[in-house]
Amino acid sequence: MNNFHINTKCLHSGYTPKNGEPRVLPITQSTTFKYDSSEAMGDLFDLKASGYFYTRLQNPTNDAVAAKIADLEGGVAAVLTSSGQAASFYSVFNICGAGDHIISSSAIYGGTFNLFSVTMKKLGIDFTFIHPDASQEEINAAFKENTKAVFAESLSNPSLIVLDIEKFAKAAHSHGVPLIIDNTFPTPVNCRPIEFGADIVLHSTTKYMDGHGTSVGGVVVDSGNFDWTQNDKFQGLTTPDESYHGITYTDTFGKGAYITKMVVQLMRDLGSIPSPHNSFLLNIGLETLFLRIQRHCENSLAVAKYLEGHDKVSWIDHPGLESSKYHDLSKKYGATCGVISFGVKGSRETAVKFMDALKLVSIATHVADCRTCLLHPASTTHRQLSDEQLRNAGVTPDLIRFSVGIEHTDDIIADIDQALAQI
Ligand SMILES: *Cc1c(COP(=O)(O)O)cnc(C)c1O
């Protein structure tokens, strides 16, 4: 589908019905698949033949949606996961193990920070966190002999810091490791990190991709560009896997090596697959992704401009505003979305009073939904972080994460206006 525009791909990639087949991607709600002979089934288990046999590994609905997202990001292959958290874990764990080291941006989603700094640490994987604004020298200084990847968000949740993707890609590649990007906030409609040198891209599809707040999910996309054989850091991909009779992923699967290994090892052993029904819903969301993202961005810019001029607002950040420190980087990479962060003048209680006074806008542990919603990260998603960790994540105690939906702009602004009048 490579010649189509991205809005056409949103509708048509991943599934092309043949004569007489359903026009809409069908839900294959079956755990298992039938074969005529044991030998045919055995070949699938040995990875000698490809085909469906058990939905924990592969399912036609899941695969079609994964292929659509791979195409939207400009990658060669993808795998859907049951959550964004699983996608973050798999993206890293697929190429590292106990004794390895990963460099991560400090401005990442609170759940990812916890996964890296607590849970994966227990598995013996060591992380160094660096600020996304770090200079090339500072990034280079963070590398160790056992570093296996660099991880960052293209547009950070909730601090809205735009990553200089090319700078991080250069640093990663000069040390022979891939750059892994969480592209949840901009989505491939606005930003395609692979075009700027990222090797692996992942998403919490729970956010804009699903868009309607129906299904938790994630996806990992491989660009196919990283040469895993250039050094001996990635032996899980470049040496024989005894659990599959000595298959070597890079030899047998070429550009599909990373995603194949993720499916046949991590999905086999850990099993974070989405239900085909959730993938069906995700696909419906993807069909309108382009239209929704356009409206989210228009609306959020209008709301940001309104807030910028309001005397009860102490500060505001949105990469689309010219006053944003990240405006130029945002224009270069397309890293923007419908999320705004801001603070109201006064105490923490003032912020709570403002939030409680909203009528149309709802308080929800969610972001990037078609309905406008907001959240106070310091007391919710980021509450486990110390003050210093909060600062490094770009989250001030008064930060309100405001996720602008696709309602009429005037209605959203009127609701904010009446709530601000009450504080
Ligand atoms: C929400 C989110 C995640 C985690 O995804 P879940 O689907 O909630 O597991 C990861 N990264 C970013 C940027 C997110 O916003």
Side-chain angles (χ1 to χ4, degrees), residues 285-335:
L286 288 167
E287 291 186 347
T288 57
L289 182 67
F290 183 85
L291 286 176
R292 286 185 290 106
I293 288 291
Q294 263 187 336
R295 175 58 69 87
H296 280 293
C297 291
E298 282 165 22
N299 274 358
S300 63
L301 196 57
V303 171
K305 284 182 176 159
Y306 161 82
L307 289 170
E308 199 172 33
H310 202 291
D311 61 5
K312 288 187 181 168
V313 173
S314 51
W315 61 273
I316 162 140
D317 197 10
H318 178 63
L321 286 177
E322 277 176 28
S323 60
S324 164
K325 184 178 161 193
Y326 297 102
H327 186 64
D328 289 344
L329 273 183
S330 164
K331 277 215 307 225
K332 173 173 176 182
Y333 292 114

Side-chain angles (χ1 to χ4, degrees), residues 5 31 39 53 55 65 70 149 188 198 229 246 280 287 307-308 340 346 373 380 403:
H5 292 84
T31 58
E39 194 189 342
F53 59 98
T55 285
V65 182
T229 63
F280 171 82
E287 291 186 347
L307 289 170
E308 199 172 33
I340 296 171
C373 58
T380 53
S403 171

Side-chain angles (χ1 to χ4, degrees), residues 83-85 88 109 112 153 157 182 184-185 204 206-207 216-217:
S83 68
Q85 284 299 101
S88 299
Y109 172 70
T112 314
E153 291 179 8
N157 175 7
D182 180 338
T184 298
F185 266 19
S204 164
T206 318
K207 313 298 166 53
V216 173

